[in-house]
């Protein structure tokens, strides 16, 4: 007997008809003698709809109430899934975050799961029941409802797999696996049958939303193999696991992109030791995550320009923080929020020289200007103008033989 987590994303539970279809998948797995814990997302579009209700009341909607509001999406699908399973002859029950409880730490709307009680659910599983747990949420030490960040049902599924020590964690979604780039925009994208945690972590944190990056991170940390599968077809999915056994015949495994970055340049800032720290310290203290940083060589030895990138929705906070920072002086600020980040990822890069120049040459051939660059052992990212995004992704996908 195998204990499994089956997680269904928003599209997979996007209507009652789809919930009934997902319940059939659960039934099939259950009838093989497996113990099943189902984790569900809210119906697709539901979380956005709830957020827009809150913002029509206030852009600064109370975060505690936001969590009470947002967690309702997954409560609905949990009950419908358990009810659907009962209807097709499977004993099933849903548990809300506080009933289990799923204990979280951290601030409202951005908490993380730290533990949960397993006894009640384990005894239900051993009686042949299917447990349904809402993704994306938990309860804090002092009993407040929390959520764990957008796309967080993936992280819930992995945390549940870890805490319940299940043999597998299957992520059912609207594509039949992880592709070399987003298949909904680049139809020539190819499915990847096996991918390492490291590569998947880079791809998902660089924009491939098929699986949330913090879910991959937890899976990697505890060596929990993941499978990404389609709810709508029987085709083989993608296995995500540790690095051994993967064939790195290609330098690049995938191309990811995101359109949620912004670029800021501080022009004419003093060029002396300590300035960078004075610029970035208050940003860090304001929870602003800085991604790429470029400092130009100063022509006169006195002043320089510093460019950096941040998440687009941190732009206003960043500009405000810089303007009110009296430890630094500068001539002016330049900002650009119509940029995107394009990244090529591949563990094969480590042993294949020339990937960097090939990427830059390809973008130059398409007359695409590079605004900032960052690299790690297995990825190269560039910031470009947003309007060139798909042109760049298509070109890179093709020159690295992924089409
Ligand atoms: P779910 O609601 O099941 O969690 P998501 O919408 O969060 O599903 O993620 C699935 C989507 O991720 C796909 O529809 C696809 O458009 C997108 N996606 C982006 N990059 C990739 C990629 N490299 N491979 C597969 N899907 C990708
Ligand atoms: N419903 C939440 C969201 O849309 C969590 C998830 O679907 O994973 O972000
Ligand atoms: Mg998702």
């Amino acid at each position: 007997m195998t204990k499994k987590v089956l997680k269904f994303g928003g599209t997979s539970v996007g209507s009652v008809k789809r919930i009934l279809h997902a319940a059939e998948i659960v039934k099939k797995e259950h009838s093989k003698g497996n113990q099943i814990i189902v984790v569900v997302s809210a119906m697709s579009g539901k979380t956005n709809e709830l957020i827009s209700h809150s913002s029509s009341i206030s852009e600064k909607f109370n975060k505690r109430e936001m969590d009470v509001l947002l967690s309702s999406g997954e409560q609905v699908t949990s009950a419908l899934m358990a009810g659907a399973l009962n209807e097709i002859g499977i004993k099933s029950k849903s548990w809300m975050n506080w009933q289990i409880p799923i204990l979280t730490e951290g601030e409202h709307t951005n908490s993380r799961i730290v533990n949960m009680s397993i006894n009640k659910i384990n005894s239900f599983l051993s009686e042949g029941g299917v447990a349904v747990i809402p993704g994306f949420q938990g309860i804090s030490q002092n009993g407040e409802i929390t959520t764990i960040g957008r796309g967080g049902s993936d992280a819930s599924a992995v945390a549940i797999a870890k805490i319940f020590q299940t043999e597998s964690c299957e992520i059912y979604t609207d594509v039949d696996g992880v592709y070399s780039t987003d298949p909904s925009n680049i139809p020539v994208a190819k499915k990847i049958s096996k991918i390492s945690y490291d590569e998947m972590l880079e791809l998902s944190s660089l924009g491939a939303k098929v699986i949330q990056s913090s879910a991959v991170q937890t899976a990697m940390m505890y060596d929990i193999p993941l499978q990404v599968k389609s709810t709508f077809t029987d085709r083989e999915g993608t296995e995500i696991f540790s690095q051994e056994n993967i064939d790195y015949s290609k330098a690049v495994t995938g191309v990811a992109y995101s359109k949620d970055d912004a670029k800021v340049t501080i022009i004419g800032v003093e060029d002396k030791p300590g300035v960078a720290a004075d610029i970035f310290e208050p940003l860090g203290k304001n929870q602003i995550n800085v991604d790429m940083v470029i400092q130009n060589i100063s022509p006169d030895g006195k002043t320089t320009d510093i460019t950096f990138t941040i998440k687009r929705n941190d732009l206003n906070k960043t500009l405000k923080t810089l303007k009110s920072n009296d430890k630094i002086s500068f001539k002016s600020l330049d900002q650009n929020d119509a940029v995107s980040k394009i990244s090529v990822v591949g563990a094969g890069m480590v042993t294949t020289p020339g990937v960097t120049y090939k990427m830059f040459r390809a973008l130059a051939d398409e007359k695409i200007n590079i605004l900032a660059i960052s690299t790690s052992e297995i990825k190269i990212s560039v910031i470009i103008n947003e309007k060139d995004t798909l042109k760049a992704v298509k070109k890179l996908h093709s020159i690295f033989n992924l089409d």
Side-chain angles (χ1 to χ4, degrees), residues 154-366:
D154 293 331
S156 300
V158 174
I160 290 165
K162 172 187 168 257
I163 293 166
F164 282 86
Q165 299 192 320
T166 68
E167 275 87 2
S168 79
C169 181
E170 301 177 7
I171 308 289
Y172 283 85
T173 183
D174 56 1
V175 278
D176 57 0
V178 177
Y179 277 69
S180 51
T181 192
D182 187 345
S184 58
N185 282 322
I186 311 286
V188 289
K190 281 259 154 40
K191 188 164 63 190
I192 301 166
S193 60
K194 291 178 166 67
I195 187 168
S196 66
Y197 291 126
D198 300 280
E199 288 176 299
M200 193 63 236
L201 186 58
E202 291 283 10
L203 283 176
S204 55
S205 45
L206 294 165
K209 72 161 182 165
V210 59
I211 179 161
Q212 196 208 26
S213 56
S214 64
V216 182
Q217 201 169 19
T218 310
M220 177 158 94
M221 214 144 67
Y222 297 101
D223 205 8
I224 302 163
L226 303 176
Q227 289 172 43
V228 178
K229 292 181 166 183
S230 164
T231 308
F232 307 109
T233 73
D234 285 336
R235 284 196 286 271
E236 285 271 297
T238 299
E239 279 179 64
I240 308 169
F241 58 114
S242 60
Q243 200 141 343
E244 296 86 29
N245 317 322
I246 293 186
D247 165 24
Y248 291 123
S249 54
K250 278 186 179 160
V252 170
T253 306
V255 183
Y257 61 94
S258 66
K259 293 179 175 180
D260 54 0
D261 298 81
K263 180 172 81 77
V264 174
T265 303
I266 313 176
I267 300 163
V269 70
E270 244 183 315
D271 193 11
K272 62 169 195 193
V275 169
D278 286 340
I279 292 172
F280 293 112
E281 189 182 350
L283 297 179
K285 285 191 172 151
N286 274 312
Q287 316 291 329
I288 298 164
N289 233 331
V290 174
D291 185 13
M292 306 180 187
V293 181
I294 303 164
Q295 178 167 345
N296 291 350
I297 295 171
S298 115
D300 56 2
K302 288 184 190 129
T303 63
T304 183
D305 300 342
I306 295 181
T307 297
F308 60 93
T309 64
I310 43 166
K311 287 279 162 244
R312 200 174 288 178
N313 52 16
D314 282 336
L315 182 60
N316 286 337
K317 193 155 76 160
T318 301
L319 296 174
K320 233 191 236 165
T321 309
L322 290 173
K323 285 175 190 162
S324 63
N325 184 348
D326 48 23
K327 282 198 175 161
I328 54 169
S329 60
F330 51 85
K331 250 190 239 130
S332 58
L333 286 177
D334 180 53
Q335 76 209 56
N336 185 353
D337 65 356
V339 296
S340 62
K341 181 160 69 178
I342 316 289
S343 309
V344 298
V345 171
M349 260 182 223
V350 179
T351 49
T352 317
V355 176
T356 316
Y357 103 81
K358 228 174 146 182
M359 176 176 188
F360 296 166
R361 172 68 62 216
L363 295 173
D365 288 347
E366 295 293 312

Side-chain angles (χ1 to χ4, degrees), residues 7 10 41-42 47 74 136 149-154:
K7 180 257 170 181
S41 284
T47 309
E74 274 75 5
F136 180 52
R150 295 305 306 273
S153 298
D154 293 331

